Amino acid sequence: MLNPFFKNYGPLKISQIIKHLKLNTNILNEDCEIQDIKDLLSSTQYDLTFFHSKKYKDIAKNTKASFCLTTQALKNELPLTCKAIVVDNVLVSISKITSIFYPDAVNDDFDDKAIYSDKTEFKDKVKFGTNILIGKNVSIGNNCKIGHNTIIEKNVIIGDDCSIGSNNIIRNAILKNNVKILDNCVIGKHGFGFFPSKEKNVRYPHIGIVLINENCEIGCGATIDRGSMSNTVIGRNTYLDNQIHIAHNVKIGENSIIAGQVGIAGSSIIGDNVKIGGQAGISGHLKIGNNVEIGGGSGVIRDVPDNTKVMGYPAKNIREFLRENK
Amino acid sequence: MLNPFFKNYGPLKISQIIKHLKLNTNILNEDCEIQDIKDLLSSTQYDLTFFHSKKYKDIAKNTKASFCLTTQALKNELPLTCKAIVVDNVLVSISKITSIFYPDAVNDDFDDKAIYSDKTEFKDKVKFGTNILIGKNVSIGNNCKIGHNTIIEKNVIIGDDCSIGSNNIIRNAILKNNVKILDNCVIGKHGFGFFPSKEKNVRYPHIGIVLINENCEIGCGATIDRGSMSNTVIGRNTYLDNQIHIAHNVKIGENSIIAGQVGIAGSSIIGDNVKIGGQAGISGHLKIGNNVEIGGGSGVIRDVPDNTKVMGYPAKNIREFLRENK
Amino acid sequence: MLNPFFKNYGPLKISQIIKHLKLNTNILNEDCEIQDIKDLLSSTQYDLTFFHSKKYKDIAKNTKASFCLTTQALKNELPLTCKAIVVDNVLVSISKITSIFYPDAVNDDFDDKAIYSDKTEFKDKVKFGTNILIGKNVSIGNNCKIGHNTIIEKNVIIGDDCSIGSNNIIRNAILKNNVKILDNCVIGKHGFGFFPSKEKNVRYPHIGIVLINENCEIGCGATIDRGSMSNTVIGRNTYLDNQIHIAHNVKIGENSIIAGQVGIAGSSIIGDNVKIGGQAGISGHLKIGNNVEIGGGSGVIRDVPDNTKVMGYPAKNIREFLRENK
């Protein structure tokens, strides 16, 4: 499920959507109701989707959505069952519409509904430190510990046997069993996503969550942003060292080991059994394969295939890097 | 105004200054009183200034200051109205004298005068979380939110419509309207400035502030140090991602976008509409022009002219970098 | 003293150790009791030691330990007074045994025994902020300040004239006189040390501490991990800027200056009078000599001899780096 947490304010009539985008478009069935906004693959006939790049052509051909925000150039790729709504900038338009469906996912002011842990149903079940706040829509499993000054803001599901340290802030996140969060982390905040505008940048909604799977450990001072249109995911038994930044929509596989001060930019996908050395950086929208090793300090700006060792800036085959730098 | 916050303990007699520097200098009018210590340009006849490098020669010629700490080699560049006080090390000397004028700006122990927000005049005006402390000499505008465990230490002016998250520490700072600070930031602490000494390093005062202009957003875990002799400034509508470090005296222009884990060393000046990729670092005392784009992971060690895209370590023209690293 | 803090659950009979490692080894004196587990050099006849690499051959020859975990290939290097216990993986085995001697040093859940500072013996002696927690086995010297929301967890010795800021978490650490810790630091947490295992990684104990010597200053947002089998040490009068990560077992000398966002990987040794520029990274297990200067952004992957200036990634002689990058 993409977003178990954010309230969907739909359905919206297609006429409302057209109006909100200030389009001069005639669409026959403008009373038709749209339930949700989804990607090309997961849309049903009740949904609006979006199609902004030729590389999604094959998926677009088979979308089940009834309506699709797209461009003049791409609209003919859609199936007959899907009506194109042509816009100038697909991503800006989808963001505007998502903000109507999910207005609660745009801004992340502090959670003013959070209450002290000893006022909650969890007070006898969880080993709490002092000065802990718990927001609405939170569940906590058995045998968990939550340290001093930590704030579990709204929309958090914590599994069994989790140990959460002190001074953390967590919202819009699912932590599976046996997850360990050390201290001073911020998990589930919206990502660094907005449309630049000279007067005042326009934030787009982040309706994804942070999903941290079983047996993971997250080091001190981590920032793990939730996804915009998909989730940010840390795979089973993956360990993160201190001061790591994981941007929105990143997916990291299982059994990976990520050393201190690493940064992974938005929407990159990291495989299983990956080792990343300290201070390495990975650009956005990349695919790093399984069993990859990335040397400390590397700057990865291109995809890395499975079973490869890379190092350098830009990162290249590690043997080549070491040979060139004897 | 350079420092609206730190108390000036002047005036000081010129004889006191001479004595404090342990100089054997004969100055005729040693009863003359000095009001303040300022740079060459902004000094008035009541001020002491300093001149330590030939590159400020043209400004020195026209200074209005009555006295100037300088070296034997530079003293003849000063106008007749300005008396030279010759010292071995101008910067160390100016630091010592600044410490007398502004003793409160040397050390940054925790603010023991801060009180709980519900004991302040702001309790009905601001939407406060829990466990919030407010120091002396603080003002907060309309429609502001301040999250849990945040400490607004002394000397802070917050405009209207600001949203400050949880676990932040802010002091000696001005936040204009509609500024958003996410979580876990430390803003306005003194910078990393001291004179090394084998026995015990000697900190110099930081009498500048942090000025964050309208519509800015500061990501989680930022550290933005206040200036030493000038201010640290973030321009209008500039957005900072998570885990960014901005050192003392840095000035960033308007509408700039700075990605995660970037570090900007002391006194560098960044233009308007600048984009800086994740983990990039900018050395101190550089000038980065308007409309510059700096690739992720870059290490910038030289000035960058307007309208330029750079990448690499050291950063060079991005086309050159990519051609050399195909 | 290696670990003044962690309780030693020994002595253990050598038969228990053999059994715990699931070895089929016949050792004559299996009722012999082992007091502690130590390195080759500091072991006495009552201790168990370990020997896993040929480079420690000369030390191994002279160890005073009565027993030694080692490999088939290395066992003949040991003196006759030291009985070899042959294992497949020395480091994994030593970790398992250390976990029996020091079970409290494996996991770092939040300190649930910490109490509010005004309930402690220190309430009239120390200048405390609000919401401060103090754990067991803590001592604090004269004339100290501890800021708001800071948690001094168990096993901390603080000297005289120390100034600790707000939102810090400190455990298993010794701070000598006149140490200054700014804000948001986590000091003394276990390091990033574990044995990878597909099902669930296995943490090894960290029985070292963090030792911060006289006159040091630690900037905002630092993470300084305690050592595993030795201590993490910051030398006298060394200053760290903001957002620095110091991994387990690192030793930094005196009078060194380390700029913002630097990361030093595990077990590296940094000399005296070393200057490290912003965002530089130092790989693990390296030796950086005295009076070394490392340029900002450098990635150091080899030892650096005394009195050398290096820069680049990988770091090389700074003149060479600048000549190649004019």
Side-chain angles (χ1 to χ4, degrees):
Chain A
M1 185 167 41
L2 181 65
N3 72 88
F5 295 135
F6 295 102
K7 190 184 164 192
N8 179 340
Y9 283 73
L12 292 180
K13 283 194 179 170
I14 201 73
S15 59
Q16 290 174 275
I17 290 169
I18 300 286
K19 195 175 162 193
H20 194 81
L21 294 174
K22 294 175 182 159
L23 298 174
N24 286 317
T25 309
N26 283 324
I27 295 224
L28 284 178
N29 38 1
E30 60 177 22
D31 283 336
C32 188
E33 287 195 332
I34 299 296
Q35 303 281 2
D36 203 351
I37 194 153
K38 289 193 182 151
D39 62 34
L40 286 161
L41 200 62
S42 56
S43 286
T44 72
Q45 58 173 312
Y46 306 108
D47 300 321
L48 174 73
T49 190
F50 59 102
F51 174 34
H52 71 292
S53 162
K54 241 194 287 193
K55 67 177 167 180
Y56 303 113
K57 202 172 61 172
D58 292 339
I59 307 174
K61 273 186 209 314
N62 295 303
T63 188
K64 296 202 165 47
S66 294
F67 295 90
C68 180
L69 296 173
T70 189
T71 61
Q72 195 65 39
L74 293 170
K75 70 174 186 179
N76 291 328
E77 306 289 345
L78 291 167
L80 291 173
T81 51
C82 181
K83 295 210 168 55
I85 301 175
V86 173
V87 294
D88 289 339
N89 187 320
V90 175
L91 294 177
V92 170
S93 299
I94 199 74
S95 151
K96 286 180 180 169
I97 302 306
T98 311
S99 298
I100 309 178
F101 276 102
Y102 298 97
D104 303 338
V106 180
N107 285 304
D108 275 27
D109 296 323
F110 85 90
D111 185 355
D112 63 328
K113 298 290 188 298
I115 58 173
Y116 283 114
S117 58
D118 58 5
K119 307 286 186 202
T120 68
E121 56 181 307
F122 309 113
K123 68 177 194 292
D124 299 322
K125 184 186 183 184
V126 176
K127 189 191 243 186
F128 282 119
T130 63
N131 188 37
I132 289 173
L133 294 167
I134 310 283
K136 289 188 187 290
N137 196 21
V138 167
S139 79
I140 307 177
N142 294 315
N143 191 32
C144 288
K145 306 177 184 88
I146 300 182
H148 314 293
N149 305 329
T150 282
I151 309 170
I152 308 294
E153 296 190 331
K154 62 191 163 205
N155 302 329
V156 176
I157 300 173
I158 299 175
D160 297 333
D161 303 307
C162 290
S163 173
I164 296 173
S166 299
N167 289 6
N168 294 293
I169 305 175
I170 305 177
R171 60 162 66 185
N172 306 309
I174 297 177
L175 278 52
K176 297 295 189 101
N177 294 342
N178 197 42
V179 165
K180 194 166 178 179
I181 311 281
L182 305 189
D183 305 314
N184 268 12
C185 297
V186 183
I187 294 175
K189 201 89 178 182
H190 59 51
F192 196 57
F194 55 90
F195 299 107
S197 165
K198 294 273 146 152
E199 203 40 56
K200 183 167 174 333
N201 298 330
V202 181
R203 277 216 151 264
Y204 55 73
H206 279 72
I207 62 173
I209 65 163
V210 170
L211 171 58
I212 302 180
N213 283 291
E214 288 82 0
N215 300 349
C216 284
E217 183 179 300
I218 309 298
C220 299
T223 50
I224 306 181
D225 290 344
R226 74 175 185 270
S228 50
M229 290 294 288
S230 75
N231 293 337
T232 303
V233 181
I234 314 284
R236 251 191 73 263
N237 198 38
T238 282
Y239 272 38
L240 273 60
D241 195 1
N242 295 335
Q243 298 193 25
I244 283 176
H245 172 53
I246 307 291
H248 54 188
N249 309 318
V250 165
K251 284 122 181 65
I252 303 176
E254 304 185 354
N255 296 312
S256 291
I257 298 175
I258 303 182
Q261 297 184 318
V262 161
I264 304 182
S267 301
S268 279
I269 298 176
I270 317 294
D272 297 335
N273 311 311
V274 170
K275 290 183 191 162
I276 306 180
Q279 288 192 337
I282 296 175
S283 294
H285 299 275
L286 296 183
K287 187 164 172 10
I288 310 300
N290 297 323
N291 312 308
V292 165
E293 292 187 30
I294 297 172
S298 295
V300 181
I301 64 171
R302 298 185 188 95
D303 290 351
V304 179
D306 290 351
N307 309 309
T308 316
K309 296 187 192 188
V310 299
M311 190 162 182
Y313 171 57
K316 55 178 74 168
N317 185 287
I318 196 169
R319 261 173 302 185
E320 195 184 331
F321 174 78
L322 292 174
R323 192 175 56 233
E324 289 172 7
N325 291 288
K326 261 192 270 206
Chain B
M1 185 168 43
L2 181 65
N3 73 88
F5 295 135
F6 295 102
K7 190 184 163 191
N8 180 339
Y9 284 71
L12 292 180
K13 283 193 179 170
I14 201 72
S15 57
Q16 290 175 274
I17 290 170
I18 299 286
K19 193 176 163 193
H20 193 80
L21 294 174
K22 295 174 182 158
L23 297 175
N24 286 318
T25 309
N26 283 323
I27 295 224
L28 284 177
N29 37 1
E30 59 177 23
D31 283 336
C32 188
E33 287 196 330
I34 300 295
Q35 303 280 0
D36 202 353
I37 193 153
K38 289 193 183 150
D39 63 33
L40 287 160
L41 200 61
S42 54
S43 285
T44 71
Q45 59 173 311
Y46 307 107
D47 299 321
L48 174 74
T49 190
F50 60 102
F51 174 34
H52 70 294
S53 162
K54 240 193 288 190
K55 67 178 168 179
Y56 303 113
K57 202 171 62 172
D58 291 339
I59 306 175
K61 275 188 208 312
N62 295 301
T63 187
K64 296 203 164 48
S66 293
F67 294 90
C68 180
L69 295 172
T70 190
T71 61
Q72 196 65 39
L74 293 170
K75 71 174 186 179
N76 292 327
E77 306 289 345
L78 291 167
L80 291 173
T81 52
C82 181
K83 296 211 167 54
I85 301 175
V86 172
V87 293
D88 289 340
N89 188 320
V90 174
L91 294 178
V92 170
S93 299
I94 199 73
S95 152
K96 286 181 179 168
I97 301 307
T98 312
S99 298
I100 309 178
F101 277 102
Y102 298 98
D104 304 337
V106 180
N107 286 304
D108 275 28
D109 297 323
F110 84 91
D111 185 356
D112 63 327
K113 298 289 188 299
I115 57 172
Y116 282 115
S117 57
D118 57 5
K119 308 286 184 201
T120 67
E121 58 183 304
F122 309 112
K123 70 178 195 291
D124 298 321
K125 183 186 184 185
V126 176
K127 188 192 244 184
F128 282 118
T130 63
N131 187 38
I132 289 173
L133 294 167
I134 308 284
K136 289 188 186 291
N137 196 20
V138 167
S139 78
I140 307 178
N142 294 313
N143 192 32
C144 288
K145 307 177 185 87
I146 300 181
H148 314 292
N149 305 329
T150 282
I151 309 171
I152 307 294
E153 297 191 330
K154 63 192 164 206
N155 301 329
V156 176
I157 300 172
I158 299 175
D160 297 332
D161 304 308
C162 290
S163 173
I164 296 172
S166 299
N167 289 6
N168 295 293
I169 304 176
I170 305 177
R171 61 163 64 184
N172 304 311
I174 297 176
L175 278 54
K176 297 293 189 102
N177 295 340
N178 197 42
V179 165
K180 194 167 177 179
I181 311 281
L182 306 190
D183 305 314
N184 269 12
C185 297
V186 184
I187 294 174
K189 201 88 179 183
H190 59 51
F192 195 58
F194 54 91
F195 298 106
S197 165
K198 293 272 148 156
E199 204 40 55
K200 184 169 175 327
N201 298 329
V202 181
R203 277 216 150 266
Y204 54 73
H206 278 72
I207 62 173
I209 65 163
V210 171
L211 170 58
I212 302 181
N213 284 292
E214 289 82 0
N215 301 348
C216 284
E217 184 180 298
I218 309 297
C220 299
T223 50
I224 306 181
D225 290 343
R226 74 175 186 269
S228 50
M229 290 295 287
S230 75
N231 293 336
T232 303
V233 181
I234 314 286
R236 250 190 75 262
N237 198 40
T238 282
Y239 272 38
L240 272 59
D241 196 0
N242 295 334
Q243 298 192 25
I244 283 176
H245 172 53
I246 307 291
H248 54 186
N249 309 319
V250 165
K251 284 126 180 63
I252 303 176
E254 303 186 352
N255 297 313
S256 291
I257 299 174
I258 303 182
Q261 298 183 318
V262 161
I264 304 182
S267 301
S268 279
I269 298 175
I270 317 294
D272 297 335
N273 311 310
V274 170
K275 291 183 191 162
I276 306 179
Q279 288 191 336
I282 296 175
S283 295
H285 298 276
L286 296 183
K287 186 165 173 7
I288 310 299
N290 297 323
N291 312 308
V292 165
E293 292 187 31
I294 298 171
S298 295
V300 182
I301 63 171
R302 298 187 189 94
D303 290 352
V304 180
D306 290 352
N307 309 309
T308 315
K309 296 187 192 188
V310 299
M311 190 162 182
Y313 171 56
K316 55 178 75 168
N317 185 288
I318 196 169
R319 260 173 303 184
E320 196 185 330
F321 174 78
L322 292 174
R323 192 176 55 234
E324 289 172 6
N325 291 288
K326 260 193 269 205
Chain C
M1 187 167 39
L2 182 65
N3 71 88
F5 295 135
F6 294 103
K7 189 184 164 192
N8 180 340
Y9 283 73
L12 292 180
K13 285 194 177 166
I14 200 73
S15 58
Q16 290 175 276
I17 290 170
I18 299 286
K19 195 175 162 193
H20 194 82
L21 294 174
K22 295 174 184 160
L23 297 175
N24 286 317
T25 309
N26 283 324
I27 295 224
L28 284 178
N29 38 0
E30 60 177 22
D31 282 336
C32 186
E33 287 196 331
I34 299 296
Q35 303 280 1
D36 203 352
I37 193 153
K38 290 194 182 150
D39 62 35
L40 287 161
L41 199 62
S42 54
S43 285
T44 72
Q45 59 173 313
Y46 306 108
D47 300 320
L48 174 74
T49 189
F50 60 101
F51 173 33
H52 70 294
S53 163
K54 240 193 293 191
K55 67 178 168 178
Y56 303 113
K57 203 172 58 172
D58 292 339
I59 307 176
K61 274 187 209 311
N62 296 302
T63 187
K64 296 203 164 49
S66 294
F67 295 90
C68 179
L69 295 173
T70 189
T71 61
Q72 196 63 41
L74 293 170
K75 70 173 186 181
N76 292 327
E77 307 288 347
L78 291 167
L80 291 172
T81 51
C82 181
K83 296 213 166 52
I85 300 174
V86 173
V87 293
D88 290 341
N89 187 320
V90 175
L91 294 178
V92 170
S93 299
I94 198 73
S95 152
K96 286 180 181 169
I97 301 307
T98 312
S99 297
I100 309 178
F101 277 102
Y102 298 98
D104 303 338
V106 180
N107 286 304
D108 275 28
D109 297 324
F110 84 89
D111 185 355
D112 63 327
K113 298 290 187 298
I115 58 173
Y116 282 114
S117 58
D118 57 5
K119 308 285 185 201
T120 69
E121 57 182 304
F122 310 112
K123 68 178 195 291
D124 298 322
K125 183 185 183 185
V126 176
K127 189 191 241 184
F128 282 119
T130 64
N131 187 38
I132 289 173
L133 294 167
I134 309 282
K136 289 186 186 292
N137 195 21
V138 167
S139 78
I140 306 178
N142 295 315
N143 192 30
C144 289
K145 306 179 185 87
I146 300 182
H148 314 292
N149 305 327
T150 282
I151 310 171
I152 307 294
E153 296 190 332
K154 62 191 164 208
N155 301 330
V156 176
I157 300 173
I158 299 175
D160 297 332
D161 304 309
C162 290
S163 172
I164 296 173
S166 299
N167 289 7
N168 295 293
I169 304 175
I170 305 177
R171 61 162 65 184
N172 305 310
I174 297 177
L175 278 54
K176 298 294 190 100
N177 295 341
N178 197 41
V179 165
K180 194 167 178 179
I181 311 282
L182 305 191
D183 304 314
N184 270 12
C185 297
V186 184
I187 294 173
K189 201 90 179 181
H190 59 50
F192 195 57
F194 54 90
F195 297 107
S197 164
K198 294 272 147 155
E199 204 39 56
K200 184 168 174 331
N201 298 330
V202 181
R203 276 217 151 264
Y204 54 74
H206 279 72
I207 62 172
I209 64 163
V210 171
L211 171 57
I212 302 181
N213 283 293
E214 289 82 1
N215 301 348
C216 284
E217 183 179 300
I218 310 297
C220 298
T223 51
I224 306 180
D225 291 344
R226 74 174 185 270
S228 50
M229 290 294 289
S230 75
N231 292 337
T232 304
V233 181
I234 314 285
R236 251 191 74 262
N237 198 38
T238 282
Y239 272 39
L240 273 60
D241 196 0
N242 295 334
Q243 298 192 25
I244 283 176
H245 171 53
I246 307 291
H248 53 187
N249 309 318
V250 165
K251 284 123 179 65
I252 303 176
E254 304 186 352
N255 296 313
S256 290
I257 299 174
I258 304 183
Q261 298 184 318
V262 161
I264 304 181
S267 301
S268 280
I269 297 176
I270 316 295
D272 297 334
N273 310 311
V274 170
K275 290 184 191 164
I276 306 180
Q279 288 191 336
I282 296 175
S283 294
H285 299 274
L286 297 183
K287 186 162 171 15
I288 310 300
N290 297 323
N291 311 309
V292 165
E293 292 188 30
I294 297 172
S298 295
V300 182
I301 64 171
R302 297 186 190 96
D303 290 351
V304 180
D306 290 351
N307 308 309
T308 316
K309 296 186 192 190
V310 299
M311 190 163 182
Y313 172 55
K316 55 178 75 167
N317 184 288
I318 197 169
R319 260 173 302 184
E320 195 184 330
F321 173 79
L322 292 174
R323 192 175 55 234
E324 288 172 7
N325 291 287
K326 260 191 269 203

